[in-house]
């Protein structure tokens, strides 16, 4: 084991990392755009209920409150699903880089022990 | 030169990991926010 | 009537707590977005500076990163000088971490 071979091996291991990150972060953004769209829709419905309450007080129910509430809950659930997917993608990106970093740190440690790596 | 490249590569991967960690935390907080919004919606209905 | 009032006050109090928690989460979210942006800015300004100190000092002579790729580490100093995409400075389109948020 020497710095050159460790470097070659690591470069090979991380050769796809940039593309993976670009893809994952792009997917996170796309999902976020969808999520914002869904959120905008349920906020519009929510504001319909609140507008009615402001005009008529909270004791009188909006004629379509049940229907609106159900739709709002559906959209919120859809948003939550999208967000869970985003969390998974973000954790995947973290795992990918952490895996390579950990391996490199281990190899650097071994090279330093053998005195094969020039000091910083 | 190879030693320096190795250390530089290590630095770059550390930076990438730090950024990925921040993104993961941001997404986790966003999920917590969405769950909180659901809770608030239900609580408002109850009130 | 008293029971109803107590129940109502209890529900109101729970709602207040939830709203306060949500405010904290929103603050935390903004803080994280800001931190991501600032770390990118710090990283870019550290890498955009040109250097004429030679092989040892110029990070752009060899190397790479998560944004441009790590192929630069394979190349020798001679091959990378002047024509390598790694030598191109960073711009706002390279903020891949900030840009992963649609709000950004």
């Amino acid at each position: 084991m020497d710095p050159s071979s460790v470097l070659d091996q690591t470069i090979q291991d991380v050769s796809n990392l940039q593309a993976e990150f670009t893809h994952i972060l792009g997917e996170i953004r796309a999902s976020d755009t969808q999520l914002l769209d869904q959120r905008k829709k349920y906020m519009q419905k929510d504001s319909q209920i609140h507008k009615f309450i402001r005009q008529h007080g909270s004791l009188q129910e909006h004629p379509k409150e049940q229907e609106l509430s159900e739709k709002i809950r559906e959209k919120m659930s859809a948003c939550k699903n999208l967000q869970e997917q985003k969390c998974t993608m973000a954790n995947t990106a973290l795992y990918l880089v952490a895996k390579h970093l950990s391996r490199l740190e281990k190899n650097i440690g071994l090279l330093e022990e053998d005195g094969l790596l020039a000091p910083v | 030169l190879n030693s320096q490249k190795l250390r530089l590569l290590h630095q770059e991967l550390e930076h990438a990991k730090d950024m990925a960690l921040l993104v993961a935390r941001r997404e986790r907080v966003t999920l917590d926010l969405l769950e909180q919004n659901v809770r608030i919606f239900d609580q408002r209905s109850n009130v | 009537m008293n029971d109803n009032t107590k129940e109502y006050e209890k529900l109101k109090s729970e709602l207040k707590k939830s709203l306060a928690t949500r405010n904290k989460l929103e603050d935390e979210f903004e803080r994280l977005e800001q931190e991501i942006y600032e770390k990118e800015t710090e990283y870019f300004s550290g890498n955009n500076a040109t250097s004429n100190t030679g092989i040892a000092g110029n990070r752009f002579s060899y190397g790479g990163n998560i944004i441009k790729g790590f192929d630069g580490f394979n190349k020798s100093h001679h091959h990378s000088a002047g024509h390598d995409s790694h030598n191109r400075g960073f711009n706002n389109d390279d903020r891949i971490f900030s840009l992963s948020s649609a709000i950004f």
Side-chain angles (χ1 to χ4, degrees):
Chain A
M1 190 188 255
D2 60 78
S4 173
S5 62
V6 169
L7 183 66
D8 287 343
Q9 183 59 49
T10 311
I11 289 168
Q12 198 178 329
D13 289 344
V14 303
S15 59
N16 211 31
L17 195 63
Q18 181 252 341
E20 283 168 335
F21 258 63
T22 305
H23 172 74
I24 289 171
L25 292 170
E27 288 293 306
I28 290 175
R29 187 188 171 92
S31 297
D32 204 27
T33 307
Q34 274 182 51
L35 195 152
L36 283 181
D37 189 50
Q38 294 281 355
R39 189 162 172 259
K40 191 176 162 190
K41 285 177 179 161
Y42 81 64
M43 295 284 279
Q44 277 170 352
K45 293 190 186 337
D46 196 40
S47 72
Q48 277 180 42
I49 297 176
H50 284 286
K51 190 178 171 186
F52 186 87
I53 290 170
R54 276 198 298 277
Q55 287 170 351
H56 300 96
S58 56
L59 295 174
Q60 196 176 346
E61 200 178 89
H62 187 291
K64 288 187 180 177
E65 185 162 327
Q66 290 294 336
E67 190 189 319
L68 283 170
S69 294
E70 205 180 292
K71 286 211 167 99
I72 290 169
R73 285 199 172 89
E74 260 177 45
K75 296 246 175 271
M76 279 181 157
S77 175
C79 285
K80 203 181 152 202
N81 287 340
L82 274 169
Q83 188 54 39
E84 280 167 354
Q85 284 173 32
K86 284 167 69 198
C87 284
T88 306
M89 288 189 267
N91 288 338
T92 303
L94 179 59
Y95 167 74
L96 285 172
V97 68
K99 182 181 73 168
H100 294 304
L101 183 60
S102 162
R103 200 176 298 155
L104 177 58
E105 280 173 349
K106 187 180 160 194
N107 288 331
I108 285 176
L110 291 171
L111 289 170
E112 280 174 340
E113 263 178 39
D114 295 341
L116 294 171
L117 196 66
V120 174
Chain B
L1 183 62
N2 281 332
S3 292
Q4 284 176 349
K5 279 189 179 183
L6 211 49
R7 293 208 187 272
L8 191 57
L9 181 54
H10 177 251
Q11 228 172 44
E12 294 295 340
L13 285 176
E14 262 191 336
H15 167 76
K17 189 197 122 187
D18 289 343
M19 298 306 293
L21 182 60
L22 284 172
V23 168
R25 276 162 65 187
R26 182 192 70 197
E27 297 308 323
R28 178 69 225 189
V29 165
T30 309
L31 181 63
D32 291 342
L33 251 173
L34 283 172
E35 285 169 350
Q36 199 64 13
N37 280 337
V38 173
R39 196 168 295 129
I40 286 169
F41 178 77
D42 289 336
Q43 284 172 341
R44 273 187 171 145
S45 299
N46 291 340
V47 166
Chain C
M1 196 65 180
N2 252 342
D3 286 342
N4 283 342
T5 311
K6 275 184 186 169
E7 178 68 17
Y8 172 72
E9 290 302 328
K10 186 183 161 207
L11 289 170
K12 237 176 79 168
S13 159
E14 281 172 7
L15 177 58
K16 265 188 184 169
K17 279 186 195 159
S18 297
L19 287 167
T21 306
R22 186 175 70 176
N23 286 342
K24 277 191 187 152
L25 287 169
E26 280 171 351
D27 289 342
E28 175 69 10
F29 174 81
E30 274 173 32
R31 191 192 66 74
L32 284 165
E33 288 233 302
Q34 188 64 27
E35 196 177 340
I36 289 170
Y37 182 81
E38 282 169 3
K39 274 202 145 67
E40 279 174 331
T41 306
E42 195 186 307
Y43 179 76
F44 290 171
S45 57
N47 279 281
N48 272 342
T50 54
S51 164
N52 50 7
T53 57
I55 297 169
N58 189 345
R59 281 172 73 157
F60 267 150
S61 295
Y62 57 87
N65 48 63
I66 196 66
I67 297 160
K68 311 283 188 191
F70 298 98
D71 290 345
F73 282 97
N74 260 330
K75 297 173 183 173
S76 69
H77 175 64
H78 300 100
H79 290 150
S80 66
H83 299 288
D84 195 337
S85 67
H86 305 292
N87 284 339
R88 184 168 61 81
F90 290 105
N91 59 52
N92 279 331
D93 289 339
D94 295 321
R95 291 183 182 275
I96 56 173
F97 298 99
S98 292
L99 286 168
S100 65
S101 165
I103 295 171
F104 177 76

